[in-house]
Amino acid sequence: MKTTVFTLIFSLTLLLNAQKKTVSIEFNKNLDFFGYLVHLGEPGDDDPNHPISIILSNYKDNQSNPLLQEIYGNASDFTFAMFVEFFYNDLPELPFSSDYNLDGLIQKKYHYKSEEDKEALKDLMLLVNRFYRESQFETIWNQLEPHRAKTFENLKNRLPSDSVIKLMESFYEQHFNFYKIVPSLTIWPTAGWGLKNSELSTDSFILGPLQKNFDFTDMARFENLAIHEFGHSFVNHIVLENNNTISNTSSLYEPLKGKMIPQGYNDWENCIIEHFVRASEIIIPELLNNGTQTDTIRDDYINNRGFVSLPFIITQLKHYRLTKRYSYKESVRRTIEDLKERYL
């Protein structure tokens, strides 16, 4: 009962007091080129007669360009998440000029990495820039314009509602001035990332098609992904503030890694972040009285995706944040401590 009452007060307060939030849609050529690079190495099973498939297949010679194999070889030590952030937040619009200060960008962005890693990234980006020109991607990008316009029309009236954004801000006790949806036609289906810019003013949700055949019409999946990916910009740094406890609970990753590694969560830090992001993906729709699909999502995450600690984290997070009314930061800290006490 206490949770129900607080939920009502929580929701009404934020709806009355929060300013209206701007959610926009933008497309990004660099991200589409990143998606195209992955597509050349791992083509999906989209309908070959789909107009977008036809555009992409008109440039099959790109698959035999020796530069492509060099790019794949040099990229193997970096993650997709790193590339998405670098292509979107940092790299200038491709192709960049020969006098662009790539060294300066990499030194600033990745000052903590070894000189060897920074040099490898520089060499890789120079290859990427050369391949951009040789692949005729500028032409491909222009030919895809009508399909970007159609995607925009599909999504523009289905953006996350103001109440969803406000509730996220209130639940996490953080806010951004701008929220951006960044769809990509070339990134593989169901992929998504959440990024914030260096000024901490913008939260961006980057996504590939929601289903195969470049389909962006699955609105239930779109809303779930938006809560999930926008959530990363609120959650990641809060969870990582508990690095000592996370290190002390790293043995919990061992029985999970068989399912986590294929999903791209290659260490306990990323795995625990995902648990908290997915917990909020369940809690926030429930707070909006829109939790009709959360049971299905929860069961999928636990039984199929390997997030076995999710029920415990959801319960503890609700207890601390909604019943005890602790801050989100404190609720996360206590939940991670409880995880340690319960399972170690």
Side-chain angles (χ1 to χ4, degrees):
M1 183 65 181
K2 287 182 180 178
T3 300
T4 304
V5 171
F6 176 61
T7 297
L8 180 61
I9 296 171
F10 187 91
S11 300
L12 288 177
T13 301
L14 67 92
L15 288 173
L16 289 171
N17 295 335
Q19 294 181 338
K20 185 172 179 61
K21 292 296 174 178
T22 299
V23 182
S24 61
I25 300 172
E26 70 170 30
F27 296 87
N28 183 277
K29 187 170 64 172
N30 283 7
L31 285 180
D32 268 20
F33 186 59
F34 161 76
Y36 181 61
L37 287 171
V38 177
H39 164 81
L40 289 173
E42 300 180 41
D45 60 349
D46 297 308
D47 179 0
N49 295 314
H50 191 285
I52 296 177
S53 295
I54 292 171
I55 291 171
L56 298 179
S57 67
N58 284 338
Y59 299 86
K60 283 188 175 178
D61 288 350
N62 285 332
Q63 290 180 309
S64 58
N65 186 324
L67 279 177
L68 190 62
Q69 294 310 314
E70 284 191 70
I71 288 170
Y72 291 158
N74 288 11
S76 60
D77 292 333
F78 301 98
T79 65
F80 282 156
M82 193 220 80
F83 282 133
V84 166
E85 180 174 7
F86 192 62
F87 273 64
Y88 179 64
N89 271 339
D90 303 300
L91 203 63
E93 182 176 297
L94 294 164
F96 51 81
S97 63
S98 59
D99 61 353
Y100 177 73
N101 185 12
L102 188 59
D103 276 316
L105 171 64
I106 292 173
Q107 289 289 345
K108 180 180 179 181
K109 175 72 177 180
Y110 297 110
H111 56 88
Y112 55 90
K113 288 188 175 290
S114 69
E115 292 304 315
E116 183 181 7
D117 284 346
K118 286 184 278 193
E119 190 64 28
L121 182 58
K122 175 187 173 182
D123 292 343
L124 176 59
M125 289 303 110
L126 291 174
L127 289 171
V128 164
N129 204 44
R130 282 178 58 196
F131 187 73
Y132 183 94
R133 298 179 190 276
E134 293 186 18
S135 67
Q136 303 180 67
F137 189 76
E138 195 73 28
T139 302
I140 296 171
W141 167 261
N142 291 333
Q143 290 176 344
L144 290 172
E145 171 56 30
H147 304 286
R148 289 195 295 275
K150 181 180 178 182
T151 299
F152 179 85
E153 289 300 317
N154 280 336
L155 297 178
K156 71 175 185 179
N157 295 320
R158 300 179 172 95
L159 299 177
S161 68
D162 211 41
S163 58
V164 169
I165 299 297
K166 290 172 180 176
L167 181 52
M168 291 178 71
E169 291 188 337
S170 186
F171 182 73
Y172 293 123
E173 299 179 302
Q174 302 166 63
H175 77 278
F176 293 90
N177 296 332
F178 307 101
Y179 293 85
K180 291 183 179 180
I181 309 285
V182 190
S184 170
L185 302 178
T186 59
I187 287 175
W188 57 99
T190 74
W193 293 270
L195 302 175
K196 54 190 172 187
N197 63 352
S198 58
E199 296 80 17
L200 306 182
S201 62
T202 303
D203 189 355
S204 296
F205 160 34
I206 294 161
L207 71 157
L210 300 165
Q211 302 288 351
K212 71 176 187 176
N213 297 325
F214 313 98
D215 187 340
F216 284 88
T217 61
D218 185 342
M219 288 305 106
R221 179 162 185 78
F222 179 58
E223 181 169 301
N224 290 336
L225 269 175
I227 293 172
H228 181 112
E229 301 301 347
F230 279 142
H232 271 291
S233 295
F234 295 104
V235 171
N236 291 22
H237 61 288
I238 297 294
V239 172
L240 292 178
E241 286 181 6
N242 300 277
N243 60 315
N244 287 336
T245 310
I246 291 172
S247 295
N248 292 334
T249 56
S250 60
S251 60
L252 295 175
Y253 180 67
E254 189 63 27
L256 306 182
K257 68 180 184 181
K259 287 192 174 181
M260 290 295 129
I261 289 175
Q263 298 177 72
Y265 312 125
N266 297 327
D267 54 41
W268 179 231
E269 279 189 358
N270 283 304
C271 181
I272 194 69
I273 285 171
E274 280 298 314
H275 272 83
F276 276 94
V277 169
R278 291 167 195 259
S280 298
E281 191 181 342
I282 302 301
I283 294 169
I284 286 169
E286 290 178 351
L287 290 173
L288 289 163
N289 296 317
N290 189 25
T292 55
Q293 296 188 34
T294 55
D295 286 344
T296 302
I297 294 168
R298 185 203 313 247
D299 289 345
D300 178 52
Y301 287 166
I302 297 166
N303 299 321
N304 301 325
R305 306 288 292 277
F307 290 91
V308 296
S309 298
L310 192 58
F312 182 79
I313 289 175
I314 290 172
T315 298
Q316 298 308 101
L317 203 53
K318 282 182 173 180
H319 171 69
Y320 290 126
R321 183 72 187 100
L322 302 181
T323 304
K324 302 294 287 186
R325 305 192 193 188
Y326 294 143
S327 69
Y328 179 72
K329 180 186 291 189
E330 180 64 12
S331 299
V332 167
R333 187 191 70 78
R334 288 173 178 264
T335 298
I336 295 176
E337 289 287 349
D338 288 353
L339 195 67
K340 178 183 175 183
E341 293 299 319
R342 173 73 177 270
Y343 293 104
L344 292 179

